[in-house]
Amino acid sequence: MSNQGEVVHSARRRVTLERTFKAPLEDVWELWTTKDGIESWWGPDGFRVEVHTLELRPGGRLVYDMIAVGAEQIEFVKKAGMPPRHAAHVTFTEVTPMTRLAYLHAADFIPGVDPYDVQYLVELFPSPDSVKMLLTFDAMHDAHWTNMATRGWEMELRKLERALAAHARFL
């Protein structure tokens, strides 16, 4: 995998979340870039994902189902007019192993809103005993959805931290 893709620059406001994980760089990368890794932590609390396609290269696709499994989340998606299971589509724009992962995620699930792409960038900075990660993404179409996306990613990053801890115990 090489850095042959181009990161598209967005005119929308950006949100950046920073985390430091007490884990090897290889483990963090693996959980971001493999079917088993993604399925172990993607999705906010009360959701899970099933990966159907993973082509880890610039221009490659990630297709997965986001599935509401918690009673509260099932109720939320129904009230919002969304199905409890939704196919999600990602196109990778940059894959620089162990360093950077950039992609466009189709926001095509919001009732009454025309589909649009959200740009994401994951940057990894290893140190001898940890990995600092920056996750930067476009704001959504309004403040409410941007807040929901940010809260969702905060939940997901807590799940990533737990998945890294569990991953380390099985090595």
Side-chain angles (χ1 to χ4, degrees), residues 35-171:
K35 178 184 188 306
D36 288 344
I38 292 165
E39 289 179 346
S40 74
W41 69 274
W42 271 36
D45 294 342
F47 290 86
R48 67 179 180 83
V49 301
E50 288 179 7
V51 174
H52 302 292
T53 303
L54 177 57
E55 303 163 339
L56 188 64
R57 59 178 168 71
R61 300 176 311 133
L62 166 61
V63 179
Y64 65 92
D65 284 346
M66 176 73 71
I67 306 157
V69 294
E72 185 177 315
Q73 290 75 16
I74 292 169
E75 183 67 21
F76 166 79
V77 296
K78 284 183 181 177
K79 283 184 179 178
M82 300 183 294
R85 182 181 197 115
H86 172 77
H89 304 273
V90 168
T91 302
F92 294 105
T93 56
E94 179 183 345
V95 178
T96 304
M98 308 294 171
T99 306
R100 290 168 58 102
L101 183 66
Y103 58 91
L104 297 174
H105 193 287
D108 58 358
F109 53 89
I110 306 165
V113 176
D114 289 337
Y116 60 94
D117 287 331
V118 178
Q119 181 180 329
Y120 285 85
L121 175 62
V122 179
E123 298 173 283
L124 303 175
F125 304 94
S127 68
D129 65 344
S130 64
V131 176
K132 180 171 100 173
M133 182 204 72
L134 298 179
L135 170 63
T136 303
F137 56 93
D138 289 339
M140 303 290 280
H141 62 281
D142 68 24
H144 171 73
W145 279 90
T146 299
N147 185 44
M148 286 183 30
T150 302
R151 286 189 351 244
W153 272 108
E154 288 169 346
M155 284 183 236
E156 288 183 77
L157 295 178
R158 285 191 297 273
K159 289 172 69 175
L160 174 56
E161 187 169 25
R162 291 190 302 267
L164 284 164
H167 191 263
R169 285 194 298 269
F170 291 108
L171 295 180

